[in-house]
């Protein structure tokens, strides 16, 4: 059974930082393309960042490029999303997604950026 467990969300002031973690189990992690998605209230879900199996290539949404960094450690079955210079518009539920034969989604973690 595939499980993706996100952690690290919370309340942060504008300009602050958070680091999200996603611990994976039940799959061959090194075979999975890993992504972070987010969904804000009343908005469609959007892709935030993606990283290839070896970590050699990363892609970012225009809205977060230069502020967010996705990384992974295949030995630890973990992917991270480092979020810096956070803005109120980054407020959303953030989901970890593993793509291997099909997409597997975590339960999400809330990120709230507010003063």
């Amino acid at each position: 059974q595939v499980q993706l467990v996100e952690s690290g969300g919370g309340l942060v002031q504008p300009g602050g930082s958070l680091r999200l973690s996603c611990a994976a189990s039940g799959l061959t992690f090194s075979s999975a393309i890993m992504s972070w998605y987010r969904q804000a209230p009343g908005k469609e879900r959007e892709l935030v960042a993606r990283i290839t199996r070896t970590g050699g290539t990363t892609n970012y949404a225009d809205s977060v490029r230069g502020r967010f960094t996705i990384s992974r450690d295949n030995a630890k079955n973990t992917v991270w999303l480092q979020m810096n210079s956070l803005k109120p518009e980054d407020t959303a539920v953030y989901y970890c997604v593993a793509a291997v034969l099909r997409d597997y989604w975590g339960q999400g973690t809330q990120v709230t950026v507010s003063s």
Side-chain angles (χ1 to χ4, degrees), residues 8-58:
L11 174 64
V12 64
Q13 292 187 342
S17 297
L18 283 175
R19 190 191 196 202
L20 304 184
S21 299
C22 173
S25 60
L27 77 166
T28 304
F29 185 75
S30 59
S31 296
I33 296 172
M34 298 301 298
S35 304
W36 288 95
Y37 282 74
R38 69 185 180 186
Q39 187 165 23
K43 295 188 177 181
E44 292 189 356
R45 191 172 292 175
E46 66 170 338
L47 174 64
V48 175
R50 177 167 288 156
I51 187 166
T52 53
R53 296 175 182 88
T54 62
T57 300
T58 56

Side-chain angles (χ1 to χ4, degrees), residues 41-107:
K43 295 188 177 181
E44 292 189 356
R45 191 172 292 175
E46 66 170 338
L47 174 64
V48 175
R50 177 167 288 156
I51 187 166
T52 53
R53 296 175 182 88
T54 62
T57 300
T58 56
N59 300 102
Y60 298 93
D62 289 343
S63 57
V64 308
R65 188 174 292 112
R67 300 188 297 121
F68 291 11
T69 303
I70 188 171
S71 60
R72 68 188 294 166
D73 186 334
N74 288 344
K76 295 181 178 180
N77 287 4
T78 302
V79 61
W80 296 275
L81 185 68
Q82 177 68 44
M83 306 186 295
N84 299 330
S85 302
L86 282 160
K87 305 175 181 180
E89 51 264 43
D90 294 317
T91 296
V93 177
Y94 284 71
Y95 298 90
C96 172
V97 180
V100 53
L101 298 181
R102 51 155 285 191
D103 288 350
Y104 296 91
W105 289 72
Q107 82 288 350

